[in-house]
Amino acid sequence: MMIDTKKNNDFREVLQFIEPDTVGAEIGTWRGDTAAEFVKIGLKKLYVVDPHTLNVIPKADLNSFIRRYSKIVGSKNIEDFHVFYDQLHQNVVERFESHSEVEVLRLLSSEFFSMLDEKLDWVYIDGDHSYEGVLADLNGSFAVLKSGGVILGDDFGSKTGVEKAVKVFCKVNNLDYEIHGKRQYRIQL
């Protein structure tokens, strides 16, 4: 989970691959803007998964993270960041409380994948952008998708670990990926 002030409008490039009346998950939601667009498709079920916490930031990177995002939070105090994330999560919950098809989960993606007791039609990955994080989300998605399911994701080609993880995952699993728009990717199982 990464704080970002820019709105992800490029995701619309992959909406065409999500069918109505399907079951899917968004890994990493931030404010829920992308999830709100998914809901418009008419889904059977949408899991919205984000830990909304500083606890996922490696200790070695924490001070840099706090300096980088202190303007958004309005403070450099770690406790204020915790309050900020609590409020952010509550805002997402409230945003979808009138949508019975949406389940907002304040979990790590690994916790979500391990607790899931149904197969999904699709997963949209926009969580931890490190190589290790994306690769773990790709593998977790692969394990919970139905045959013929699709993995979609954001920030391919960015200065993160997304592109490398997608390429390694596809090579290991003998799959192909496609780029849509500037930074969206699609992997059809």
Side-chain angles (χ1 to χ4, degrees), residues 73-112:
V73 175
S75 171
K76 291 183 179 178
N77 183 312
I78 196 165
E79 290 307 316
D80 292 334
F81 271 77
H82 290 299
V83 170
F84 177 84
Y85 276 118
D86 287 343
Q87 186 59 57
L88 183 61
H89 174 72
Q90 186 59 40
N91 291 347
V92 173
V93 168
E94 290 171 5
R95 184 174 192 174
F96 295 106
E97 65 189 357
S98 66
H99 293 275
S100 61
E101 77 279 21
V102 177
E103 187 172 346
V104 178
L105 300 167
R106 193 173 188 178
L107 298 171
L108 297 171
S109 57
S110 59
E111 295 170 323
F112 168 70

Side-chain angles (χ1 to χ4, degrees), residues 30-54:
W30 181 226
R31 294 183 181 115
D33 294 338
T34 305
E37 294 299 317
F38 293 149
V39 167
K40 293 177 184 177
I41 294 170
L43 301 172
K44 183 176 181 180
K45 179 80 174 181
L46 174 62
Y47 295 99
V48 177
V49 182
D50 198 304
H52 285 128
T53 182
L54 274 182

Side-chain angles (χ1 to χ4, degrees), residues 11-14 31 44-45 63 71 84 122-123 125 141 148 159 186 188-189:
F11 77 92
R12 288 183 173 81
E13 298 292 333
V14 295
R31 294 183 181 115
K44 183 176 181 180
K45 179 80 174 181
N63 288 334
K71 286 186 181 180
F84 177 84
W122 58 273
V123 175
I125 300 173
S141 298
K159 295 178 182 178
R186 172 179 163 242
Q188 185 73 52
L189 304 188

